[in-house]
Amino acid sequence: MTAAPDVVTGRHVLLVVSGGIAAYKAASLARALLRGGATVQALLTPAAATFIGPATFEGLTGRTVPTDVFSDSDHVPHIHLARQADVAVFAPATANLIAKLAVGIADDLVTSTALMLDCPVVIAPAMHTEMWRHDVTQANIATLRHRGAHIVGPDDGPLAAGDTGEGRLADEDAIVAAVAAAIAPSTSPLTGRRVIVSAGGTREPIDPVRYIGNRSSGKMGYALARQAARRGADVDLVTAPTHLDDPVGVRLHRVETAEQMRTTIMDLVADAEVVIKAAAVADFRPARYSGQKIKKDSDELTRIELVRNRDILAELGENKDGRLLVGFAAETDLAEDHARDKLHRKGLDLIVVNRVDMADAGFNVDTNRAVLLRAEGGRREVPLTTKDQLAAVVCDEVEELLAQR
Ligand code: CTP
């Protein structure tokens, strides 16, 4: 990610630092913002001041770092600090500070100032993985996001006490880019749109133990849901079973079978403007489900009668109602004629033809290669890339198609 200095130039950034080991990185962040032409006012929580002193920030920014709500009755620091800010960035933001921000506690200069803010807010969490994943922290983050805060990170990587995992402060460039994006609000056509993404491979039960499934990991669909949410979309992720962590900032609907996926999507679709169907939906299911585990000596398992599942995408294509429909075609060669036929047959606006037969593309790996075909004839080839980047390209295409309407 690259910084966007032109956007921060001349802007007044309130940099709030809270008490974690990553606090030392805030000094470098202050420098990056200053280099971009911003003025920076640092503010430290008492815990942050045990990791890095106010003198460091005063030296870098040329501005006094106030520490006390009652230090200056003429200016009333928290009012003054908040009103000056064009943007506030909380980096690193500890679980404790995030909790206080979410519920509106104002018991010191930092939190009193935060409650006074009437400007875009960027929050860069940093903490141990367990604290980040805790339901309370996730609920607080969801609250803050809902209120319009821009959440950047945390990343995966080395943490305090020799641990490694999710919870590391986002890269400096990513935080500066988030600050720039917060100042110049997203102009993505996806902002505020209801988007449904389906992911994972459905399971069609034979008996309580066995099922017919496929090799989809769900990674592509999860990457798409995250990417659309990052662009401001209001995302429902309908997912068949996966081993992936719940993405932050999207509504998750867990399903198992193709029929459950169909029902869930049909319940949600009335409000949706975009549907992206990355799920590998089983085309068939066993005609009969046995409530008891079938004994291997019985004949029943030698011949399982199958019935066809309804094609969710085709059904959505028949009742489009102005919605933008994106489908996936899993191929063992880039059979574009076949995919183009599917695009038209199912009433899609865009189809992503991806390879599933190579060591570096398709099921269970983090990379993919694809060709994107538009209904009106456009073609875009995406060479080997990460699923996150392919998700970004798919969202770019969706944005262009929405913008054309
Ligand atoms: N799909 C669906 N409902 C189904 C089957 C598939 O919505 N019952 C969707 C998938 O989510 C995916 C696309 O349709 O977006 C895949 O289309 P499909 O016709 O199943 O193609 P392939 O799996 O590529 O298989 P084939 O080439 O055999 O048609």
Side-chain angles (χ1 to χ4, degrees), residues 280-331:
V281 185
D283 294 313
F284 293 90
R285 67 178 182 278
R288 277 172 299 282
Y289 171 74
S290 164
Q292 308 264 300
K293 184 183 171 195
I294 304 170
K295 297 289 169 209
K296 62 176 172 294
D297 295 335
S298 83
D299 269 354
E300 268 183 77
L301 286 172
T302 58
R303 219 171 302 117
I304 297 170
E305 193 190 331
L306 300 175
V307 291
R308 204 174 253 287
N309 280 326
R310 279 181 282 196
D311 190 314
I312 308 166
L313 202 47
E315 204 173 328
L316 292 171
E318 279 161 25
N319 301 295
K320 280 187 81 165
D321 216 5
R323 266 183 295 277
L324 204 121
L325 272 190
V326 182
F328 273 69
E331 304 291 352

Side-chain angles (χ1 to χ4, degrees), residues 72-362:
D72 180 352
S73 53
D74 284 346
H75 283 102
V76 196
H78 64 291
I79 299 177
H80 186 64
L81 289 163
R83 291 204 177 138
Q84 270 189 325
D86 292 316
V87 59
V89 51
F90 295 76
T94 59
N96 182 48
L97 179 60
I98 287 168
K100 286 179 163 188
L101 295 177
V103 295
I105 289 174
D107 62 351
D108 59 15
L109 182 57
V110 161
T111 49
S112 304
T113 306
L115 209 51
M116 280 289 305
L117 289 171
D118 186 24
C119 64
V121 167
V122 175
I123 297 174
M127 64 198 74
H128 248 67
T129 309
E130 293 84 343
M131 295 174 94
W132 170 247
R133 297 245 174 100
H134 198 290
D135 287 351
V136 165
T137 306
Q138 288 301 310
N140 290 335
I141 285 288
T143 301
L144 292 167
R145 198 190 291 274
H146 185 71
R147 233 181 262 148
H150 302 252
I151 313 293
V152 52
D155 289 347
D156 244 307
L159 302 171
D163 287 342
T164 300
E166 197 182 7
R168 186 178 164 81
L169 183 70
D171 280 349
E172 190 178 286
D173 280 356
I175 301 175
V176 175
V179 171
I183 297 173
S186 164
T187 51
S188 165
L190 275 166
T191 302
R193 307 257 191 178
R194 292 287 298 270
V195 174
I196 299 175
V197 179
S198 75
T202 63
R203 294 177 176 178
E204 310 301 321
I206 299 167
D207 67 18
V209 178
R210 305 175 179 96
Y211 61 83
I212 298 174
N214 63 67
R215 297 163 75 106
S216 170
S217 64
K219 287 181 175 174
M220 193 62 235
Y222 277 50
L224 282 159
R226 276 196 306 270
Q227 187 60 233
R230 218 171 277 160
R231 296 177 188 217
D234 186 2
V235 181
D236 286 289
L237 174 60
V238 182
T239 179
T242 73
H243 296 291
L244 304 174
D245 292 334
D246 296 353
V248 175
V250 310
R251 278 182 300 277
L252 203 64
H253 307 265
R254 295 179 203 282
V255 300
E256 192 164 329
T257 65
E259 197 46 40
Q260 288 165 0
M261 181 169 277
R262 178 185 168 276
T263 312
T264 306
I265 290 176
M266 294 309 168
D267 282 349
L268 293 167
V269 82
D271 294 331
E273 291 162 272
V274 179
V275 182
I276 306 178
K277 284 230 68 230
V281 185
D283 294 313
F284 293 90
R285 67 178 182 278
R288 277 172 299 282
Y289 171 74
S290 164
Q292 308 264 300
K293 184 183 171 195
I294 304 170
K295 297 289 169 209
K296 62 176 172 294
D297 295 335
S298 83
D299 269 354
E300 268 183 77
L301 286 172
T302 58
R303 219 171 302 117
I304 297 170
E305 193 190 331
L306 300 175
V307 291
R308 204 174 253 287
N309 280 326
R310 279 181 282 196
D311 190 314
I312 308 166
L313 202 47
E315 204 173 328
L316 292 171
E318 279 161 25
N319 301 295
K320 280 187 81 165
D321 216 5
R323 266 183 295 277
L324 204 121
L325 272 190
V326 182
F328 273 69
E331 304 291 352
T332 46
D333 53 66
L334 287 180
E336 290 184 32
D337 290 348
H338 184 206
R340 203 164 270 292
D341 174 58
K342 198 177 295 178
L343 173 80
H344 294 300
R345 199 163 20 90
K346 297 199 187 191
L348 309 180
D349 299 279
L350 180 72
I351 193 159
V352 183
V353 195
N354 61 333
R355 295 290 295 254
V356 289
D357 60 333
M358 303 171 89
D360 58 8

